[in-house]
Amino acid sequence: MPVYLDTARNRFRRMIMCHMIADTLDELHAMAERIGMRREWFQPRSFPHYDVCLTRRAVAIKHGATVLERRDFVAAMQRIRAAGGTRDDSNPGTFR
């Protein structure tokens, strides 16, 4: 299951967050569910992803998510888009 986490450290309230993406929405949502995230936390804008706190990030890694440095994470996003994995503007939050 190709799910990717970046190395970002963004503050949100009292938490530190990173981003989680995947090759498909099914894979992304499956990992989110596996690590205890709610579907309403999904962010379809710009690029479909979840913001993940560091505690859940560690659990995602245990479940097989791959950590990518910024440059590799951006390359993965570009590859996913090029393969048709961009969001569908007529139905936000879905891949084309």
Side-chain angles (χ1 to χ4, degrees):
M1 174 184 292
V3 174
Y4 310 102
L5 298 160
D6 68 6
T7 56
R9 296 291 187 269
N10 302 311
R11 289 199 170 277
F12 178 71
R13 297 182 183 157
R14 301 171 104 183
M15 297 179 288
I16 306 294
M17 310 293 277
C18 69
H19 304 102
M20 181 171 72
I21 63 171
D23 288 341
T24 68
L25 277 180
D26 288 341
E27 293 165 333
L28 181 61
H29 293 312
M31 179 63 81
E33 184 176 327
R34 190 173 293 121
I35 66 174
M37 300 193 74
R38 295 183 191 166
R39 190 56 139 335
E40 63 260 23
W41 296 343
F42 174 63
Q43 298 185 36
R45 307 275 184 235
S46 71
F47 194 92
H49 73 283
Y50 283 88
D51 287 342
V52 179
C53 68
L54 297 182
T55 303
R56 285 196 169 98
R57 181 181 190 270
V59 176
I61 292 168
K62 287 181 183 177
H63 285 287
T66 301
V67 176
L68 298 176
E69 295 295 328
R70 179 180 168 88
R71 182 171 293 178
D72 295 327
F73 193 80
V74 170
M77 290 171 64
Q78 291 170 339
R79 179 184 49 75
I80 292 166
R81 275 197 178 119
T86 57
R87 81 182 158 84
D88 180 351
D89 291 331
S90 66
N91 188 6
T94 61
F95 284 139
R96 265 190 268 197

